Structures are given as C-alpha cells and as structure tokens.
Amino acid sequence: GRVAVVAADGTSLSYGELDAVAGRLAHRLRAAGVGRGDVVGLFTGRSVEALAGMLAVWKAGAAYLPLDPDYPAARIELVLADSGARTVLVGEGLRDRLPAFAGTVLDLGADVTDAPAGDPPAAGGAEDPAYVLYTSGSTGRPKGVVVPHRALVNFLCSMRELLGSRPDDVWLALTSLSFDISGLELFLPLITGARTVIA
C-alpha cells in the first residue's frame, strides 16, 4: 500500500497498483508476441506509465530500449532497426512523432483493465537482457550496450549499501530514460521500499 511513484501532476501509484498495471501490460505484450530475449522500444519521456512499461517489459521476459522522443527521427529509426525491436510502447500523445516503424505499436497509457490480473508465467533469468542503451555515436555509428538483469541488480544492491537508501527516502527522477543513471533513480527506490518522484 505504500506509494511507489509520484508524477509531476500529482498522479501516484502504490507498489500494489504499479505491480498490477505492469502485470496487465505484460499480458498485453505477450499477446502481441513479445517473449524472452525480445527488445521492446519505449518511445516516451519520464512518467509513471514509462516506469510501469519498463516493469511490464521485464515481466514479459524482454528488454526495454528507451527511445527519447526529442531525439532526431533518423537516430530513432537507426536504433530500432539495429536493435531488432519488433514492438514499441508509445507514450500518450507521441504516436504521431514515432518515425515509420513496421512492427507492432502499442499505446503505453491504454486501458489494460481487461487484461488478465497477475503476472504472465516467468520468462527470464539473471543473464537475460534488462535493457539496451545506445551510445551517442560521437565516434561514429551509435552502438547498443546490453545490460543484463544480474548487472543491474548488482549495481542497485551496491548503491543501496553505499547510499543507505531506506523506505522513508524520496528520490527525484530527472534523467532521460536514454541515460544509464535513470535506472538508479527509478529502480533503487523500488528495491528499498522508498518513493520515486518523477520530474
């Protein structure tokens, strides 16, 4: 029942609500053909829905690929093609800004109350990709960096010990999802029972 995440507009979800939304969205992803080892594009900015989308992608057994809507269309097209993503979750009001994409496009904020409750059967392990980030491309073509769940969990547990994160802490998430440090801002509070406020 504790509040897990709060948006700038005051929208909030408890841990239970966040888990339920992510579980239903994961069922929707599975129904669209997403499974273990797939890459799912996340074309959105920071939001409560984005966090739920990341968790849903994991529950479906896939890795998320953050796609910043403010990046040039050519970069987004290149990253989608290079990553092999066949599905993209699109944030509210952003569908028209998504470059041409031949795969499945799902609205991140769509009503998922008709989806089955609970999580789909587990479909991943510690060595499976959690997310894929692309380098800036300043030295040439952008390159995808695959981060497995084990590395992310190790990082979060180490930061929990280093920073002493506790359930009463409040973390501000203000980094673009396309930068690695956004994982610390979003997921460290979740593994310590704290609260994330999304700028």
Side-chain angles (χ1 to χ4, degrees):
R2 287 179 70 94
V3 173
V5 58
V6 180
D9 65 2
T11 303
S12 68
L13 290 178
S14 69
Y15 275 87
E17 291 167 334
L18 178 61
D19 185 55
V21 170
R24 287 188 172 98
L25 185 53
H27 278 287
R28 206 162 148 238
L29 288 166
R30 284 277 182 89
V34 172
R36 185 175 186 179
D38 287 339
V39 175
V40 176
L42 194 63
F43 187 72
T44 188
R46 294 180 309 275
S47 67
V48 170
E49 292 78 18
L51 180 56
M54 293 170 173
L55 298 175
V57 168
W58 289 345
K59 287 173 182 271
Y64 72 83
L65 168 69
L67 303 166
D68 193 322
D70 292 329
Y71 282 1
R75 177 186 169 87
I76 293 170
E77 288 174 352
L78 183 150
V79 165
L80 280 171
D82 187 70
S83 69
R86 293 177 291 130
T87 306
V88 174
L89 287 169
V90 177
E92 186 177 350
L94 294 173
R95 191 178 271 260
D96 291 344
R97 291 174 55 187
L98 180 68
F101 177 67
T104 303
V105 179
L106 301 173
D107 290 321
L108 190 53
D111 183 9
V112 292
T113 54
D114 61 341
D119 296 339
E127 301 306 327
D128 288 321
Y131 57 91
V132 181
L133 295 180
Y134 273 75
T135 62
S136 66
S138 59
T139 59
R141 182 182 170 95
K143 297 169 188 65
V145 178
V146 178
V147 179
H149 285 281
R150 184 183 304 278
L152 175 60
V153 170
N154 182 57
F155 171 63
L156 293 173
C157 290
S158 296
M159 293 305 288
R160 178 184 61 197
E161 291 177 20
L162 179 67
L163 301 175
S165 184
R166 300 176 313 275
D168 292 332
D169 289 345
V170 178
W171 288 79
L172 180 64
L174 51 79
T175 305
S176 166
L177 303 180
S178 296
F179 288 97
D180 207 27
I181 203 66
S182 66
L184 176 69
E185 297 172 348
L186 294 170
F187 304 129
L188 182 60
L190 292 184
I191 70 162
T192 60
R195 178 180 306 184
T196 300
V197 175
I198 299 179

